Amino acid sequence: MLEPYEFLDELEGEHRSWLAPFDGRYLRKFENLLKGNYEAAMTEAAVRRLLERHGVAVEPNEDLTGASKQPDLFCTHARQEFYVEVTCISIEKATKKTGLPVDPRETGFRSYSSLNDAFWAACKGKVTQCAGLDHPALVAVGTHHAQASALCVSEPHAEMLLTGETKIAWNLDLTTGSQAGDTYLSTELHFATFLKRDPSVEVAFRRGPIAGLLLCGFGVDPPECLGILHPNPEHHFDPAALENIRFCEVTLDRANGTLATSWAATPK
């Protein structure tokens, strides 16, 4: 059986070639990361390839002195410039979070958990790194776990990263004890990436420096990739800059106390 990431040898060489024209310290940092955390290094390479395949010009952006934390990549597209910070959910961690086996050849029905808490935690840890920038910043969270890539990078899971985990609810007629009206979805905003409970306004925004997340499943070919957008970021990201990636956004209706998600139309 092949190791889960053995097929990435070609990408490793490609990324070295991409880094070669830049300051030599970037290549040395990549080589060190390969030795220390191979999956993290290859996630960065895979995100760079994904961006370039969308017509984005990509440059390394990490501070070489270590004096400050900066996003990994600076990106230029005809529609806008933006930053991307890359982080990795390891195959081991994805297995523990989801209960899915590493070997994609294992078949048969099984229950599994989502990766949403891991996506949420990755975003939470990158706010400072994305603060004070002159352009929008995306956090790309990738995994090389094959089955988690196929099953957990999905539209229903992405929507719940915006609304929080939802549950079926209904109102009760207190006089009869029976259901009054139709069932609906309710949320306490648990694992909502960009929203939180606030006593003064009920729902408030958070993590404004991050314009959105890219959820990347690199364990399948072609990769699974979806985006979610912050409803009120410091800098808005134009999803048309990554036109083949579907982005979800959430709308807050304070008057009615409701949240609604919608998927941005793919530009023609």
Side-chain angles (χ1 to χ4, degrees):
M1 174 182 170
L2 292 176
E3 289 297 320
Y5 41 75
E6 192 170 322
F7 68 95
L8 294 174
D9 288 348
E10 180 185 357
L11 177 59
E12 182 181 327
E14 176 190 303
H15 200 65
R16 284 194 179 94
S17 298
W18 173 73
L19 284 169
F22 300 103
D23 188 310
R25 290 175 291 178
Y26 285 116
L27 181 55
R28 288 195 292 274
K29 288 179 74 71
F30 177 66
E31 298 285 0
N32 290 334
L33 186 58
L34 282 171
K35 296 174 183 176
N37 190 335
Y38 182 81
E39 288 182 65
M42 297 315 298
T43 299
E44 186 172 317
V47 169
R48 185 270 311 156
R49 172 189 275 181
L50 178 74
L51 293 166
E52 288 189 328
R53 288 182 173 178
H54 282 80
V56 176
V58 186
E59 300 177 14
N61 186 70
E62 187 179 1
D63 181 15
L64 290 169
T65 68
S68 64
K69 290 188 175 182
Q70 298 175 180
D72 295 307
L73 305 170
F74 179 70
C75 303
T76 303
H77 186 272
R79 287 188 174 267
Q80 75 177 157
E81 296 175 325
F82 58 98
Y83 297 94
V84 175
E85 169 63 14
V86 182
T87 188
C88 173
I89 300 172
S90 70
I91 292 173
E92 180 181 10
K93 184 173 183 179
T95 300
K96 290 179 180 178
K97 290 288 185 182
T98 65
L100 290 166
V102 174
D103 188 349
R105 294 171 294 187
E106 288 191 29
T107 60
F109 174 80
R110 68 175 64 232
S111 61
Y112 66 94
S113 300
S114 78
L115 271 182
N116 277 11
D117 58 340
F119 286 134
W120 177 85
C123 177
K124 180 182 177 182
K126 297 297 183 179
V127 175
T128 302
Q129 203 153 343
C130 295
L133 300 174
D134 52 350
H135 300 292
L138 300 177
V139 174
V141 189
T143 184
H144 294 282
H145 190 294
Q147 296 207 56
S149 295
L151 296 173
C152 298
V153 182
S154 70
E155 292 187 4
H157 290 154
E159 289 173 2
M160 281 196 285
L161 279 171
L162 289 173
T163 64
E165 293 181 349
T166 56
K167 298 178 181 179
I168 297 175
W170 56 87
N171 296 322
L172 287 178
D173 184 328
L174 297 180
T175 60
T176 64
S178 60
Q179 179 178 327
D182 296 330
T183 58
Y184 55 92
L185 293 177
S186 177
T187 178
E188 294 298 322
L189 300 181
H190 187 51
F191 293 135
T193 310
F194 302 122
L195 300 174
K196 65 178 180 179
R197 289 286 188 188
D198 186 294
S200 61
V201 293
E202 191 171 1
V203 176
F205 302 113
R206 61 176 168 181
R207 304 191 180 105
I210 298 174
L213 292 188
L214 290 175
L215 316 175
C216 304
F218 294 122
V220 292
D221 186 25
E224 291 288 345
C225 189
L226 294 171
I228 64 170
L229 295 173
H230 196 299
N232 188 35
E234 292 179 2
H235 300 285
H236 286 272
F237 174 75
D238 182 355
L242 296 171
E243 62 181 7
N244 293 319
I245 295 175
R246 298 200 71 207
F247 279 84
C248 191
E249 51 194 350
V250 63
T251 302
L252 171 61
D253 186 336
R254 294 190 185 277
N256 295 316
T258 60
L259 299 174
T261 57
S262 60
W263 289 87
T266 302
K268 301 296 183 183

